[in-house]
């Protein structure tokens, strides 16, 4: 059987088959706990937009219908890279999606991440404020070429081992790959970062420790749901992803 035929005969992905938890939801929105390795976009039939659309059309068909307007599209209202795990927020219906997107545009949303970085990060708290261009240049030029814009990421150390530091991060601006780029520029690239980390470090982590993920987890998001006038916080059910915790604890045990 050809790969094409096999792909066409495969059953559609579901939230359950991809190991995705529903963290919360209401009229016009849902928050999911995304595993590492699952795309939000650009993987038709298996990305989160496809799966949410299928789930809603199967389990809650009335939620996907607007009066006299036909099906309602599903929108991921913020970005989360495939290799990043954690909370992703979706809006469905034009009005709800606009309500959520506006909050991101006006910087009314607070996002908290956990990052496992190389080295012993100092000080315990602070901000990374290196200006960043719209597009990054990878490990050789993480700040990017062209006009660089003011950028800020607040951080605080959670715990550390001999070789790694677990950091709580909140991006205060919205540049592409902001935490990853700021960490690299600060001399503490994220563990498992194939775009900004060193090839040697990637090889050591994979060959010696079986570590194959990006050390970044979207821990929580605070926003105002559609139809409400107060903010709510949705937190991941995972405090620290298993692979990140195992790498950190293993390094502590080796000290």
């Amino acid at each position: 059987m050809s790969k094409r035929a096999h792909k066409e005969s495969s059953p559609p992905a579901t939230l359950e088959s991809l190991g995705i938890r529903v963290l919360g939801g209401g009229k016009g929105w849902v928050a999911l706990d995304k595993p590492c390795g699952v795309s939000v976009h650009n993987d038709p039939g298996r990305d989160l937009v496809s799966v949410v659309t299928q789930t809603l059309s199967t389990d809650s068909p009335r939620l996907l219908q607007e009066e006299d307007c036909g099906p309602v599209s599903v929108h991921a209202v913020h970005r989360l890279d495939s290799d990043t795990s954690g909370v992703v927020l979706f809006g469905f219906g034009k009005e709800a999606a606009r309500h959520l997107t506006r909050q991101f545009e006006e910087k009314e949303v607070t996002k908290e991440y956990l990052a496992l970085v190389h080295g012993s990060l100092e000080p315990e708290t602070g901000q990374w404020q290196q200006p960043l261009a719209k597009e990054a240049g990878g490990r050789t030029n993480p700040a990017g070429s062209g006009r660089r814009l003011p950028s800020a990421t607040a951080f605080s150390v959670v715990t550390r081992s001999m070789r790694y530091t677990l950091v709580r991060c909140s991006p205060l601006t919205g540049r592409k790959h902001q935490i990853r780029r700021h960490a690299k520029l600060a001399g503490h690239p994220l563990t498992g970062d194939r775009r900004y980390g060193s090839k040697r470090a990637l090889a050591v982590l994979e060959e010696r420790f079986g570590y194959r993920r990006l050390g970044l987890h979207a821990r929580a998001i605070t926003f105002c749901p559609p139809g409400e006038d107060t903010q709510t916080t949705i937190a991941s059910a995972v405090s620290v992803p298993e692979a990140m915790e195992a790498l950190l604890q293993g390094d502590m045990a080796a000290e």
Side-chain angles (χ1 to χ4, degrees), residues 32-246:
L32 303 179
D33 218 353
K34 185 184 89 66
C36 174
V38 175
S39 297
V40 175
H41 302 286
N42 304 322
D43 188 10
R46 294 191 61 82
D47 62 37
L48 287 189
V49 171
S50 300
V51 175
V52 171
T53 301
Q54 175 64 27
T55 300
L56 289 173
S57 64
T58 301
D59 299 341
S60 307
R62 285 176 295 178
L63 294 177
L64 284 181
Q65 298 293 324
E66 284 184 335
E67 194 171 329
D68 300 324
C69 293
V72 175
S73 58
V74 172
H75 304 269
V77 295
H78 63 112
R79 295 190 299 267
L80 206 62
D81 297 328
S82 172
D83 289 340
T84 303
S85 56
V87 184
V88 188
L89 184 62
F90 293 84
F92 40 92
K94 293 179 181 178
E95 185 175 343
R98 277 197 298 264
H99 172 82
L100 295 169
T101 300
R102 178 190 58 78
Q103 293 178 65
F104 283 89
E105 292 173 346
E106 298 182 4
K107 299 179 175 59
E108 297 173 352
V109 175
T110 301
K111 294 182 286 182
E112 179 186 297
Y113 291 79
L114 286 176
L116 185 60
V117 304
H118 286 277
S120 183
L121 176 64
E122 299 287 351
E124 293 285 316
T125 62
Q127 286 189 17
W128 292 319
Q129 296 184 326
Q130 298 93 331
L132 301 174
K134 184 176 181 180
E135 295 295 332
R139 61 174 57 90
T140 60
N141 183 23
S145 302
R147 180 169 173 259
R148 296 175 183 177
L149 305 172
S151 307
T153 301
F155 68 85
S156 61
V157 172
V158 178
T159 188
R160 66 177 81 240
S161 66
M162 182 169 57
R163 298 178 181 85
Y164 310 108
T165 306
L166 185 65
V167 190
R168 185 178 293 110
C169 300
S170 293
L172 306 180
T173 49
R175 313 298 171 222
K176 182 178 181 181
H177 296 169
Q178 179 172 307
I179 293 174
R180 298 166 66 180
R181 295 163 71 185
H182 267 162
K184 172 68 172 182
L185 288 165
H188 297 277
L190 269 62
T191 54
D193 195 335
R194 298 186 179 280
R195 184 175 178 90
Y196 303 104
S198 76
K199 293 181 180 180
R200 181 178 181 276
L202 290 167
V204 169
L205 285 173
E206 184 168 349
E207 293 168 8
R208 294 187 185 178
F209 306 106
Y211 185 87
R212 298 179 178 87
R213 66 157 292 153
L214 176 67
L216 189 62
H217 179 64
R219 180 72 184 88
I221 187 168
T222 301
F223 65 102
C224 182
E228 299 184 22
D229 55 11
T230 57
Q231 287 193 321
T232 187
T233 297
I234 300 294
S236 170
V238 178
S239 56
V240 182
E242 182 178 358
M244 293 167 59
E245 179 73 12

Side-chain angles (χ1 to χ4, degrees), residues 8-27:
E8 290 176 348
S9 64
S10 299
T14 63
L15 295 178
E16 183 177 358
S17 70
L18 294 177
I20 297 166
R21 300 181 186 181
V22 177
L23 298 172
K27 186 175 181 180

